[in-house]
Amino acid sequence: MYHFFISLLAFVFFISCSTPKSENLCDTENSKFISNLLFRFLIKDKSDQCGYKVNSNPPACELNYEETHLDVNWPAIQKEMESQFLLGSGASESLIQYRPESIGAVISSSFPAFQGALNAPNGNVYIVPYYSPKILEVNPISKSYSIMGSFSESVERIGGALGPAGILYFAPHLVADFYAFNTNNNSISILGNESLATAAYNGAIYAPNGKIYYVPSSETIIRYYDTNTKTIGQVTTPTSGGFSTGVLTPQGKIYFIPLTSTRMYILDTKDDSVTIHPYVYPGGSAYISGILTPNERIYMIPHSATQVLYLDISSNEIVLAGNIPSPGSSMFNGAVLAPNGKIYPIPEDYPNFISFDTKDHTISTLFPKPTGSYRGGALGPEGEIYLAPHTTDRFDLIQTGSLGRFCQSLRLSPYWNKL
């Protein structure tokens, strides 16, 4: 019945437009103005009509992931995330080995294997190679896997981001080539190459302007791949020191999380200008991950520092949020925000899995880490976290016990779907 109504309305509309007239269809008094607006609303055409937006504030889960990082949609993102947070947790967290195979046997390679994991529009999780010669694809519904690609067994890439149209962009680390992987047809391409410093970049960010920005490690130049012009470019202002990842905010800014750098650099993607936050970090592999929360804070997860910090975006203030129990070095590598409002740092050399509750800043020790290490992870549709095995020889996930769920639009959003 619904389809019949739309078809009838469309027929009437097009018949009424069959004889061109010079009348102004942007005039709200025009007899065709309302029928045209109604027709476009029913077919979910969100483009402007004479300056009027149709369905200009859709719910977060009706957005395409490529729309979620537009500033106009941030209120809907906030509302949806906070509603899921309020549902809290049910069962206690657990570590699940979801496949019996060993990672080494699957990729026919020695370790370390992977660093980082990304969600794709086809519903699968892609675990990004470190030394692995293959990309690991995991279906979170069936728990089946595939391997694909062919890379040299060296640290050519570290991390990346999902860009437009289901394409993953990998950050060059020990290679001059900028790789892309098309999840629609499992094809790998080289977008171009540049003369780069050794250990050039750590991860990438997909910005609202269509550019993929690469996070400087030993490089001092912020480079980007423009998905509109298909060209590689660079930001004028250089950086100093190394960074572990970047965090995109609703204001269109990327905050680079200091690893060896003692300062946080901030890139405004609206004009590619760079500013430096005044807070002084300890350097020496201090912070490894940054997580944006819907209350507009950026939580920073330590690598070898002892404290969890957050940046309040509205006040620009750095705040102490908690202390890691029994801290050490190389503790975590990556972190994932779950629908229960907790951040799960991914343990590298830290002996346990922990959670950090963004509601009250409670840090809880969950369970021991198996032999080996992980680096990064991706959130699944049931609130589970698929871990990227680095030296651990297992297929593992964290069952977070979240009662809420993040819809696909949020799981794919450039705010969180990156390393």
Side-chain angles (χ1 to χ4, degrees):
M1 184 68 183
Y2 177 73
H3 293 292
F4 173 77
F5 176 72
I6 292 179
S7 301
L8 180 62
L9 184 61
F11 177 75
V12 172
F13 173 73
F14 284 115
I15 289 297
S16 68
C17 294
S18 60
T19 304
K21 296 182 180 180
S22 60
E23 58 189 319
N24 179 14
L25 291 178
C26 288
D27 183 357
T28 57
E29 300 297 322
N30 188 294
S31 60
K32 297 185 180 67
F33 181 86
I34 295 299
S35 60
N36 186 43
L37 200 65
L38 178 60
F39 174 69
R40 292 173 61 252
F41 176 79
L42 289 171
I43 65 171
K44 296 186 177 181
D45 180 353
K46 299 177 186 177
S47 58
D48 286 332
Q49 175 178 314
C50 310
Y52 293 86
K53 272 282 190 184
V54 179
N55 195 23
S56 60
N57 294 296
C61 294
E62 290 185 11
L63 295 168
N64 184 288
Y65 77 90
E66 297 175 42
E67 301 173 303
T68 57
H69 60 339
L70 304 180
D71 57 357
V72 69
N73 292 322
W74 178 244
I77 300 294
Q78 282 181 304
K79 181 179 179 181
E80 175 62 20
M81 292 189 73
E82 288 169 349
S83 70
Q84 299 305 314
F85 283 3
L86 287 173
L87 298 176
S89 300
S92 298
E93 292 95 337
S94 58
L95 184 69
I96 297 175
Q97 186 175 356
Y98 62 93
R99 296 289 308 189
E101 298 89 348
S102 73
I103 296 295
V106 167
I107 63 175
S108 301
S109 175
S110 58
F111 290 89
F114 300 98
Q115 180 159 341
L118 299 167
N119 278 295
N122 60 16
N124 294 331
V125 172
Y126 291 84
I127 302 179
V128 181
Y130 185 77
Y131 267 96
S132 170
K134 302 290 184 181
I135 299 168
L136 179 61
E137 177 192 54
V138 176
N139 183 318
I141 304 301
S142 66
K143 302 296 188 288
S144 61
Y145 70 87
S146 302
I147 54 172
M148 54 201 64
S150 180
F151 299 101
S152 67
E153 294 186 55
S154 64
V155 192
E156 292 185 346
R157 309 139 306 276
I158 287 187
L162 171 67
I167 298 176
L168 307 181
Y169 293 86
F170 299 144
H173 194 69
L174 297 182
V175 68
D177 296 325
F178 288 73
Y179 282 94
F181 177 74
N182 190 330
T183 63
N184 301 295
N185 57 20
N186 296 338
S187 63
I188 298 171
S189 59
I190 296 176
L191 308 171
N193 53 69
E194 298 282 321
S195 178
L196 303 177
T198 303
Y201 295 99
N202 288 332
I205 301 290
Y206 168 32
N209 59 11
K211 295 176 180 177
I212 309 295
Y213 289 91
Y214 300 93
V215 180
S217 177
S218 64
E219 266 288 350
T220 60
I221 297 172
I222 302 171
R223 284 185 170 85
Y224 59 79
Y225 178 73
D226 191 325
T227 63
N228 298 307
T229 63
K230 313 300 182 188
T231 56
I232 296 172
Q234 63 183 57
V235 173
T236 303
T237 305
T239 62
S240 177
F243 306 88
S244 55
T245 188
V247 178
L248 178 69
T249 68
Q251 295 76 27
K253 295 181 179 181
I254 297 173
Y255 291 74
F256 295 112
I257 304 302
L259 183 64
T260 58
S261 178
T262 57
R263 295 295 180 92
M264 175 186 282
Y265 281 67
I266 306 164
L267 171 69
D268 191 332
T269 64
K270 293 176 181 176
D271 58 9
D272 280 353
S273 61
V274 175
T275 55
I276 303 174
H277 194 281
Y279 185 87
V280 178
Y281 292 82
S285 299
Y287 288 90
I288 197 66
S289 188
I291 296 288
L292 176 70
T293 51
N295 57 358
E296 298 195 8
R297 292 175 177 175
I298 296 173
Y299 285 91
M300 287 164 270
I301 304 302
H303 189 243
S304 296
T306 63
Q307 300 174 328
V308 178
L309 302 177
Y310 73 80
L311 168 68
D312 187 315
I313 297 171
S314 60
S315 68
N316 210 33
E317 181 184 6
I318 301 287
V319 180
L320 172 62
N323 294 286
I324 299 297
S326 304
S329 61
S330 304
M331 292 183 291
F332 305 102
N333 202 311
V336 178
L337 177 65
N340 56 10
K342 296 180 182 180
I343 295 171
Y344 293 84
I346 308 303
E348 185 174 0
D349 289 346
Y350 197 74
N352 298 305
F353 284 84
I354 67 171
S355 66
F356 177 86
D357 196 328
T358 61
K359 178 177 79 278
D360 57 14
H361 294 174
T362 300
I363 296 176
S364 301
T365 299
L366 305 179
F367 37 77
K369 174 180 66 66
T371 300
S373 62
Y374 306 90
R375 287 190 176 183
L379 187 69
E382 299 301 316
E384 75 279 26
I385 297 170
Y386 291 85
L387 299 170
H390 192 63
T391 60
T392 298
D393 198 15
R394 298 161 36 123
F395 286 82
D396 287 329
L397 63 81
I398 304 171
Q399 189 57 262
T400 66
S402 299
L403 295 177
R405 300 289 183 266
F406 287 160
C407 59
Q408 188 178 51
S409 298
L410 297 186
R411 295 197 313 278
L412 297 181
S413 174
Y415 290 128
W416 301 283
N417 193 30
K418 49 81 183 179
L419 179 73

